[in-house]
Amino acid sequence: MPSDQTPKGAAPRRTTARAASVTTPAPAATVAPASSGLAGSSPWAYAPAPESREIVTIRQRYGLFIDGKERAPSGGEVTITYNPATEEPLAEIAKGTPADADRAIEAADRAYRKVWSKLHPRERAKYLYRISRILQERSREFAVTETMDSGKPIRESRDVDVPLAAAHFWYYAGWADKLEYAVPGRRPEAHGVVGQVIPWNFPLLMLAWKIAPALAAGNTVVLKPASTTPLTALLFADVCRQAELPDGVVNIVTGPGSTGMSIVTDPRVAKVAFTGSTSVGVTIAKGIAGQGKGLTLELGGKAANIVFEDAALDQAVEGVVNGIFFNQGEVCCAGSRLLVQESIAEEFLARLRDRMSMLRIGDPMDKNTDVGAINSKSQMETIGELVASGVAEGAQIWQPACDLPTRGWFFRPTLFTNVAQSHRIAREEIFGPVLATITFRTVAEAIEKANNTAYGLSAGIWTEKGSRILQVASALKAGVVWANTFNRFDPTAPFGGYKESGYGREGGMQGLHAYLRSS
Ligand code: TAP
């Protein structure tokens, strides 16, 4: 079926790259025509495959989840969460205040002292298994809600975010009664109440990364979701009720950053976990300095995805595309700097442009969509500003020609070549579908350029040589290094960075350590 036969009401339309008009905020003159290939020719057009929204009932208004109950915010105010793909309001969300944060911490403290710390670890594990099962059972509801609230393609929320979130609860359930093996020879103890602040790029998954190990280790939780993506956290509150989790063990306080600050600085909160921008991470670190709290910070990144001349090129193209266009590039570990060996650069970039021309950009609810909507208008503006800076500083921009939906926040996948290491697009986290290409000649030069960043979260290596993988991986200053793959996650594997990417690890046994104090 040609793509213009979209059923009525299935807005916005998904479009395949290489259609006619150009609507990206980037200057039109910089949009190059696609180079060659198959995309756009009618045999390759996909029929619309929209996921049904019927499974989800989004309420008009949501309150705070405190002490096992839904509560109105003390200030009586609400904010609105929007569908980034349509710009339509989805629901009114309680604007939690410092007084609400105080109430939530009180509930978490009481639950810790009176219930959760007294439970046998095996009993704690049962709740975690139960939560994991419920997430699996309600996975479609969670995937649809996540996609509507965040703009990410349904294929990703369905196949990555929700299954991985369930897997984290399952994995950490297994640890709950084996904590002494996580810290051999020492006596592990919970901190008590932990305060957690999460971002908007993986709302449910970041919640799972934080809440699962915290509960397994015996802590209780007060969590603040991001203002633009609160819905799956509020749906998770319903899962807690369904799992009959004791009241106050998990509390969810929606609201602005200042409410997040009230949570993390409260003296009853013994451990803080934050994922988000480096600037807010620094503010939090300063805000709690000297209080003796545990702190883990998972901040930004500017990962190098390094392609050597002996790499399997088509495989590497797939890996580079996945590395930067997965979740619209709104990923802290995105491979946003392509380092390609000069001898293959021309050939590799030609193949990459062809592949980018095949990407389907548009309705995130369509199961064929590769690149969905940018999470918010302000994030669109940030991306637009950084892309404009790339053009102004002299880098060469290329974007596949394609229609973008007329409503919603969509940004065309963007490839920059002729990038200098001093350019802002090579240094700053863009958090969008924008790839900056830098070439290199030798292994030493690749390592030097890859490490030339203030961040240190992740990196990728593409080569057929095992010895080169080992040599380069051990020289890269990045917390996670993928070889001949990218963006692979597993609950058993630790994840985290250093330098301006933060400190501490989430995932795996290491992820438990942050939630334990051991004597
Ligand atoms: P942040 O401001 O860092 O937001 C992350 C979380 O922190 C949100 O829940 C936010 O609440 C909260 N927050 C904001 N100010 C706070 C404060 N002073 N104290 C405590 N909590 C606070 O990120 P952003 O503004 O949404 O995005 C800006 C840039 O950060 C992006 O362009 C991207 O480069 C980067 N970013 C990185 C990540 C990861 S995973 N590393 C994730 C998101 C964004 P509100 O939502 O209510 O403001």
Side-chain angles (χ1 to χ4, degrees), residues 197-201 224-227 255-257 260-261 274-277 280 284 298-300 332 379 429 431:
V197 178
I198 58 171
W200 42 262
N201 54 344
K224 191 198 94 64
S227 290
M261 202 47 149
F274 171 76
T275 298
S277 61
V280 173
I284 288 178
E298 203 272 89
L299 311 175
C332 48
Q379 188 59 23
E429 184 177 49
F431 233 61

Side-chain angles (χ1 to χ4, degrees), residues 213-486:
L215 297 192
N219 303 280
T220 57
V221 167
V222 179
L223 176 136
K224 191 198 94 64
S227 290
T228 57
T229 53
L231 288 182
T232 45
L234 296 166
L235 200 54
F236 183 81
D238 196 41
V239 169
C240 294
R241 279 190 289 254
Q242 195 181 339
E244 296 174 4
L245 193 69
D247 291 350
V249 171
V250 168
N251 303 274
I252 293 175
V253 179
T254 48
S258 52
T259 303
M261 202 47 149
S262 312
I263 296 171
V264 299
T265 50
D266 190 288
R268 291 163 293 177
V269 168
K271 142 89 189 143
V272 172
F274 171 76
T275 298
S277 61
T278 300
S279 58
V280 173
V282 169
T283 307
I284 288 178
K286 282 184 186 161
I288 66 171
Q291 293 185 7
K293 294 179 199 277
L295 174 64
T296 42
L297 293 174
E298 203 272 89
L299 311 175
K302 193 72 193 174
N305 212 350
I306 312 170
V307 183
F308 288 97
E309 61 190 359
D310 65 332
L313 290 196
D314 286 332
Q315 230 174 293
V317 165
E318 280 310 307
V320 167
V321 164
N322 168 264
I324 185 63
F325 301 122
F326 173 63
N327 201 35
Q328 300 72 244
E330 297 166 320
V331 183
C332 48
C333 55
S336 52
R337 285 183 301 150
L338 166 63
L339 264 61
V340 60
Q341 197 150 12
E342 202 175 272
S343 50
I344 54 156
E346 202 177 317
E347 166 72 12
F348 188 81
L349 289 169
R351 292 193 200 198
L352 180 59
R353 286 188 192 101
D354 274 352
R355 180 65 184 87
M356 284 174 65
S357 300
M358 310 276 290
L359 290 171
R360 290 174 298 271
I361 304 128
D363 184 1
M365 288 291 280
D366 192 304
K367 292 169 203 154
N368 292 321
T369 292
D370 297 308
V371 181
I374 300 300
N375 183 255
S376 64
K377 187 158 178 276
S378 89
Q379 188 59 23
M380 269 293 279
E381 287 163 3
T382 304
I383 298 169
E385 190 220 314
L386 279 159
V387 165
S389 83
V391 174
E393 289 187 307
Q396 193 165 355
I397 188 172
W398 182 90
Q399 297 170 316
C402 63
D403 282 336
L404 299 182
T406 47
R407 289 199 73 187
W409 302 308
F410 291 90
F411 202 93
R412 200 182 303 278
T414 301
L415 174 68
F416 273 108
T417 50
N418 204 23
V419 177
Q421 292 183 83
S422 57
H423 289 168
R424 284 182 70 196
I425 53 169
R427 288 185 292 112
E428 295 181 28
E429 184 177 49
I430 300 176
F431 233 61
V434 182
L435 182 61
T437 308
I438 295 167
T439 57
F440 66 88
R441 288 185 184 164
T442 63
V443 173
E445 189 186 348
I447 293 168
E448 200 275 324
K449 287 183 167 172
N451 286 338
N452 184 9
T453 170
Y455 293 105
L457 190 56
S458 65
I461 305 169
W462 297 85
T463 172
E464 290 291 275
K465 280 201 179 103
S467 57
R468 181 171 289 161
I469 292 173
L470 294 175
Q471 178 199 0
V472 176
S474 48
L476 290 177
K477 293 191 169 64
V480 179
V481 180
W482 287 290
N484 294 328
T485 187
F486 207 89

Side-chain angles (χ1 to χ4, degrees), residues 84-100:
T86 61
E87 299 175 47
E88 285 161 1
L90 287 171
E92 291 174 352
I93 306 294
K95 190 172 174 186
T97 62
D100 296 315

